[in-house]
Amino acid sequence: MNTPNTPTQPAPATEDLPQTGTVSTVSSETGNSMQDFYRLQQELLVYTLAFTGIIFISVWIFYSLNIALNYLLGAIAGVVYLKMLARDVERIGSQNQKISKTRLGLLIGLMIVAARLDQLQILPIFLGFLTYKISLMIYVLRSALAPDYR
């Protein structure tokens, strides 16, 4: 008679190792995807800030400081929008499935303030807000043309 501790008998179903390995694999895949997300978030933020600085200086040189400051105000709102968007995407990855609807209110509020004040100009602010889109386009083009970049 074989005892349960002999090596010839299979392990009981409650001690099934592949299931625990699967759980750790799923959690490590989730961790890796979140690390990729945080890396992407950081990369987009750095690109957006770099483009903001380059464009701000260029507008200041070729136009005026007032227009450049209007552009900078819009670009700062764009960076805040990008951070809010990243926070909402991060929430989707976790247990909370609800997405905030206040992001668009940021742009609408900024445009209303710009329309009310004579010192602010709508077009430079709006174009500054869209600066983060340049970073997104660069990332998409790089991903499409060189998928093995990372």
Side-chain angles (χ1 to χ4, degrees):
M1 309 259 163
N2 287 338
T3 61
N5 293 334
T6 59
T8 58
Q9 287 190 352
T14 57
E15 296 179 26
D16 195 10
L17 293 179
Q19 285 183 350
T20 57
T22 305
V23 171
S24 68
T25 303
V26 170
S27 65
S28 70
E29 286 176 4
T30 303
N32 288 339
S33 63
M34 289 307 289
Q35 287 176 352
D36 290 343
F37 169 73
Y38 293 132
R39 190 177 312 122
L40 170 64
Q41 179 184 353
Q42 186 71 23
E43 183 177 344
L44 290 177
L45 184 63
V46 168
Y47 282 161
T48 302
L49 292 175
F51 288 129
T52 297
I54 292 168
I55 295 171
F56 171 74
I57 292 171
S58 300
V59 169
W60 187 1
I61 291 171
F62 290 108
Y63 292 99
S64 70
L65 179 61
N66 186 32
I67 293 175
L69 290 173
N70 281 285
Y71 166 80
L72 186 62
L73 178 64
I76 289 170
V79 168
V80 170
Y81 179 86
L82 186 63
K83 294 291 281 181
M84 291 170 73
L85 181 63
R87 188 181 63 218
D88 285 346
V89 170
E90 184 178 16
R91 284 184 189 161
I92 289 174
S94 66
Q95 71 275 6
N96 190 357
Q97 298 291 327
K98 190 174 180 181
I99 297 176
S100 173
K101 294 180 172 88
T102 59
R103 289 187 322 266
L104 195 56
L106 178 69
L107 176 63
I108 292 170
L110 185 60
M111 290 296 120
I112 290 172
V113 169
R116 298 283 181 185
L117 296 176
D118 291 334
Q119 296 87 2
L120 299 179
Q121 298 176 1
I122 293 175
L123 187 61
I125 291 174
F126 181 69
L127 293 175
F129 180 80
L130 294 178
T131 302
Y132 79 95
K133 294 282 190 180
I134 297 170
S135 301
L136 289 174
M137 288 188 294
I138 295 294
Y139 175 77
V140 168
L141 286 174
R142 192 186 71 218
S143 296
L145 297 176
D148 300 348
Y149 182 70
R150 293 258 176 201

